[in-house]
């Protein structure tokens, strides 16, 4: 779903803290027809110009609050990411990105499904070893990586 | 009396996602442009801002708009994310608590029913039942393709992660539960998609586009329909196997090419337990030679509505348009017109119901 729109146009920018460029960030939308509890967000598959950034290099900004680490997000059991809202994925990368266009390959990774799982898939295993960014199990509605070209603002 | 018409706001999901229609606009569209439709169904986690804790202002505004347009809040569709707490799989008591919370929220918003996801355990449903009775809000389990209405052991095994372990038996278990408890607050909600007898055009096109060009995909879809009309299901499936073998092996292949998961006559068996119906559809096309009249050419609507009329069903059929989801990979020009699709669907429903 929303393949062409999951990374939002014109949102790529470098993140500057105390005068120092510490990384970059871009806006993302949910590949779903409903919102989800924030605890279910398990990171994002992010590849920029061929370089893959892991979950540990990501923080997530949503609901008007400062960006939180993915471990903090996993504890937000009752906070909701509404379907209408854009979140912002921040990536740690010293010096940020160079001016110009960048290719972002993206797929979301969350644990929102339809109730208890069936055969061939064990909920208990998911508690200990949830799908990691890049695993199609983490994006049931758009289980493919899509490419986006954005110009740094 | 007779069958009543409504709309699930799921149908306008794309307009909502892009910020082109709010829930208020959607209610107005249903009330003003569908020739007498009165029912409203929602996706709880799409329409309710900051679910599960909406503001009192939102609840007030919702009830006010429903009254303003003289609509009826029929069903609130609820989910159960069993990983919500992340440290453990939600246990059945916690699942029951989530159901009870949704029942209370539905009551505040004036809904008659809440729809559960199919794998909610009967144990959790039984725990929530006294509250459903007290509030007089009914729970329904959706019968969604590829689930059969009654146990069908001839179905192939499927390991879809989102299917409950007992999927072939689930609705037989529901019926036994309803008969054992005698409850009037737990029932069934068939989705018209169970009468889908061939691959819907938009979904087939989307899957094909992951293997071939958009142009080639369009050609294969047209040819599949032509072969199906002229030579039947086996010939059409053979054609698909020859033109794109990968699609038959994909995880959706089973759902697209295995025919109907239930027959319309099976509705007789569950007649007393049908609380609400999802009018699933993917694309409305004009009937050749009948300008202004539309059909859903992958689902057996005429046959199903005929059965519903003969059993005296007088609840709602809520339009559930889903074709837009398969057209969002082609950029702005490829996006579907949800408002027009739902209007066409109601032209068909009205005509088949015989209003």
């Amino acid at each position: 779903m929303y393949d062409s729109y999951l990374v939002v146009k014109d949102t790529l920018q470098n993140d500057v803290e105390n005068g120092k460029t510490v990384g970059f960030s871009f806006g993302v939308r949910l590949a779903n027809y409903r919102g989800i509890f924030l605890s279910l967000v398990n990171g994002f598959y992010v590849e920029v110009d061929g370089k893959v950034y892991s979950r540990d290099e990501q923080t997530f900004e949503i609901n008007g609050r400062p960006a939180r680490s993915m471990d903090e997000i996993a504890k937000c059991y009752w906070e909701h990411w509404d379907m209408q809202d854009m979140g912002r994925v921040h990536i740690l990368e010293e010096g940020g990105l160079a001016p110009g266009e960048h290719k972002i390959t993206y797929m979301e990774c969350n644990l929102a499904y339809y109730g208890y799982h069936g055969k061939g898939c064990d909920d208990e295993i998911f508690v200990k070893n949830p799908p990691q960014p890049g695993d199609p199990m983490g994006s049931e509605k758009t289980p493919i990586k899509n490419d986006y070209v954005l110009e740094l603002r | 009396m007779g069958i009543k018409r409504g709309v699930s706001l799921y149908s306008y999901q794309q307009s909502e996602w892009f910020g082109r229609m709010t829930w208020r606009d959607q209610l107005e569209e249903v009330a003003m442009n569908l020739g007498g439709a009165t029912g409203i169904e929602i996706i709880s986690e799409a329409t309710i801002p900051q679910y599960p804790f909406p503001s009192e202002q939102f609840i007030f505004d919702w009830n006010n708009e429903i009254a303003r347009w003289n609509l009826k809040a029929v069903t609130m569709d609820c989910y159960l994310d069993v990983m919500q707490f992340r440290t453990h799989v939600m246990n059945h008591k916690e699942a029951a608590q989530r159901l009870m919370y949704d029942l209370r929220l539905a009551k505040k918003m004036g809904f008659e029913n809440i729809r559960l996801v199919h794998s909610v355990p009967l144990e959790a449903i039984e725990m929530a039942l006294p509250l459903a009775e007290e509030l007089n809000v009914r729970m329904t389990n959706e019968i969604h393709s590829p689930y059969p209405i009654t146990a069908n052991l001839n179905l192939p095994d499927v390991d879809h992660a989102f299917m409950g372990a007992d999927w072939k038996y689930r609705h037989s278990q529901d019926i036994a539960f309803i008969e054992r408890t005698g409850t009037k607050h737990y029932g069934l909600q068939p989705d018209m998609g169970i009468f889908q007898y061939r691959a819907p055009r938009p979904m087939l096109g989307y899957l094909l586009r992951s293997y071939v060009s958009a142009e080639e995909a369009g050609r294969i879809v047209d040819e599949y329909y032509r072969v199906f009309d002229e030579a039947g299901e086996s010939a059409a499936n053979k054609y698909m196997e020859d033109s794109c073998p990968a699609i038959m092996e994909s995880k959706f292949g089973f759902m697209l090419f295995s025919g109907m998961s239930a027959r319309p006559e099976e509705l007789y068996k569950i007649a007393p337990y049908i609380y609400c119906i999802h009018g699933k559809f993917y694309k409305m096309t004009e009937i050749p030679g009948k300008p202004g009249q539309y059909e859903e050419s992958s689902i057996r609507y005429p046959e199903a509505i005929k059965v519903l009329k003969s059993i005296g069903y007088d609840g709602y059929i809520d339009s559930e348009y889903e074709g837009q989801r398969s057209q969002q990979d082609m950029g702005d020009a490829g996006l579907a017109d949800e408002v027009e699709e739902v209007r066409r669907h109601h032209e068909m429903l009205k005509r088949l119901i015989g209003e």
Side-chain angles (χ1 to χ4, degrees):
Chain A
M1 293 178 76
Y2 300 116
D3 302 57
S4 311
Y5 306 94
L6 298 175
V7 170
V8 184
K9 272 196 275 187
D10 302 326
T11 58
L12 182 64
Q13 61 186 47
N14 278 332
D15 290 340
V16 180
E17 269 174 31
N18 304 320
K20 197 177 153 205
T21 302
V22 295
F24 60 91
S25 65
F26 54 88
V28 296
R29 296 288 308 272
L30 267 174
N32 210 319
Y33 59 78
R34 63 167 171 127
I36 60 171
F37 287 110
L38 211 45
S39 56
L40 301 168
V41 177
N42 195 43
F44 308 88
Y45 180 83
V46 177
E47 183 184 329
V48 181
D49 304 327
K51 182 175 176 184
V52 179
Y53 294 91
S54 74
R55 187 178 174 277
D56 298 336
E57 295 165 288
Q58 305 170 4
T59 56
F60 189 50
E61 180 187 344
I62 186 77
N63 294 334
R65 299 191 48 190
R68 287 170 272 183
S69 73
M70 297 321 297
D71 288 343
E72 286 174 83
I73 291 288
K75 289 179 190 140
C76 300
Y77 308 134
W78 293 104
E79 187 178 337
H80 209 243
W81 179 1
D82 282 359
M83 174 261 243
Q84 295 83 349
D85 292 346
M86 181 181 92
R88 185 169 271 279
V89 178
H90 292 263
I91 303 287
L92 282 173
E93 171 70 82
E94 211 175 305
L97 296 174
E101 287 189 336
H102 298 274
K103 182 177 143 188
I104 302 179
T105 305
Y106 172 84
M107 181 163 77
E108 71 182 22
C109 183
N110 64 51
L111 310 175
Y113 306 103
Y114 293 92
Y116 292 92
H117 282 143
K119 283 198 297 184
C121 192
D122 189 324
D123 292 321
E124 296 293 345
I125 291 173
F126 268 32
V127 169
K128 293 181 193 75
N129 293 306
Q132 292 304 304
D135 182 344
M137 275 305 289
S139 183
E140 192 231 315
K141 301 284 194 298
T142 310
I144 51 169
K145 294 166 188 164
N146 282 294
D147 293 334
Y148 306 82
V149 175
L150 275 77
E151 191 172 352
L152 192 76
R153 287 201 303 183
Chain B
M1 292 297 276
I3 300 172
K4 299 190 271 284
R5 292 182 290 116
V7 177
S8 168
L9 302 188
Y10 175 95
S11 304
Y12 305 122
Q13 57 179 274
Q14 176 177 284
S15 309
E16 174 90 39
W17 201 89
F18 284 112
R20 292 168 190 160
M21 276 177 110
T22 64
W23 62 267
R24 291 171 197 265
D25 301 327
Q26 295 162 27
L27 295 191
E28 181 175 350
E29 166 63 18
V30 174
M32 300 299 288
N33 296 313
L34 299 178
T38 53
I40 294 293
E41 178 159 346
I42 65 165
I43 302 290
S44 58
E45 291 191 61
T47 296
I48 303 172
Q50 287 299 298
Y51 172 91
F53 309 117
S55 64
E56 287 302 318
Q57 183 67 50
F58 168 75
I59 301 288
F60 176 86
D61 290 345
W62 172 263
N63 287 312
N64 199 43
E65 290 289 303
I66 289 281
R68 173 188 179 189
W69 298 110
N70 202 20
L71 294 166
K72 165 81 193 149
V74 182
T75 302
M76 177 170 117
D77 294 16
C78 301
Y79 293 80
L80 188 74
D81 284 304
V82 302
M83 276 337 141
Q84 185 185 344
F85 306 123
R86 288 301 291 272
T87 53
H88 64 282
V89 178
M90 190 180 281
N91 63 41
H92 292 186
K93 195 173 167 195
E94 289 169 326
Q97 284 164 346
R98 292 286 294 112
L99 288 190
M100 290 191 267
Y101 187 90
D102 284 338
L103 283 166
R104 290 199 172 91
L105 188 51
K107 180 72 180 178
K108 278 191 187 178
M109 293 175 70
F111 283 101
E112 197 168 32
N113 310 303
I114 64 168
R115 191 248 23 206
L116 316 181
V117 283
H118 38 60
S119 71
V120 175
L122 286 166
E123 192 189 10
I125 290 165
E126 192 154 13
M127 286 187 243
L129 207 48
L131 182 67
E133 283 163 2
E134 184 193 319
L135 300 174
N136 196 24
V137 177
R138 307 182 301 181
M139 297 180 278
T140 72
N141 197 339
E142 182 171 355
I143 307 180
H144 192 287
S145 171
Y147 281 56
I149 287 180
T150 43
N152 179 354
L153 305 185
N154 296 323
L155 291 167
D157 276 316
V158 188
D159 282 351
H160 280 323
F162 53 83
M163 313 234 326
D166 293 338
W167 70 279
K168 290 179 195 175
Y169 311 87
R170 174 62 206 231
H171 300 304
S172 298
Q173 291 166 350
D174 286 328
I175 293 164
F177 175 85
I178 295 164
E179 288 173 352
R180 172 171 68 76
T181 57
T183 182
K184 302 285 179 215
H185 288 83
Y186 181 60
L188 299 167
Q189 180 164 349
D191 176 310
M192 285 290 190
I194 58 180
F195 307 126
Q196 177 190 307
Y197 64 99
R198 57 178 166 182
R201 281 175 172 273
M203 217 189 246
L204 184 54
Y206 177 76
L207 290 177
L208 283 166
R209 286 193 294 279
S210 34
Y211 305 107
V212 299
S213 71
E215 198 180 32
E216 178 67 358
R219 196 191 62 73
I220 296 176
V221 173
D222 286 343
E223 187 61 9
Y224 165 79
Y225 268 69
R226 191 191 65 76
V227 174
F228 201 111
D229 287 336
E230 286 174 14
E233 183 178 359
S234 330
N237 285 358
K238 173 79 173 52
Y239 164 74
M240 195 52 67
E241 256 175 56
D242 294 343
S243 11
C244 188
I247 204 174
M248 303 298 279
E249 288 153 22
S250 72
K251 76 169 185 174
F252 293 106
F254 162 70
M255 299 227 264
L256 281 185
F257 302 107
S258 60
M260 297 190 289
S261 57
R263 287 172 295 109
E265 308 81 72
E266 286 180 88
L267 291 169
Y268 284 112
K269 292 194 247 181
I270 54 165
Y273 314 130
I274 305 176
Y275 288 176
C276 184
I277 292 174
H278 267 167
K280 170 69 54 62
F281 72 103
Y282 296 93
K283 189 174 181 60
M284 301 304 296
T285 47
E286 199 164 59
I287 303 173
K290 294 188 175 169
Q293 293 193 7
Y294 298 90
E295 63 182 355
E296 176 20 285
S297 63
S298 65
I299 297 174
R300 300 258 182 238
Y301 265 98
E303 295 82 350
I305 290 182
K306 198 174 157 197
V307 173
L308 289 170
K309 282 162 76 172
S310 80
I311 60 182
Y313 175 69
D314 61 1
Y316 279 90
I317 298 179
D318 293 336
S319 298
E320 198 188 49
Y321 173 52
E322 189 164 309
Q324 75 284 67
R325 283 172 55 174
S326 309
Q327 293 171 236
Q328 294 157 339
D329 57 323
M330 299 183 290
D332 295 351
L335 293 177
D337 182 344
E338 296 172 320
V339 166
E340 178 60 22
E341 290 286 347
V342 174
R343 288 180 186 178
R344 292 176 176 190
H345 191 236
H346 278 259
E347 182 284 317
M348 179 192 75
L349 288 179
K350 209 171 172 178
R351 185 163 38 79
L352 294 177
I353 291 168
E355 278 180 36

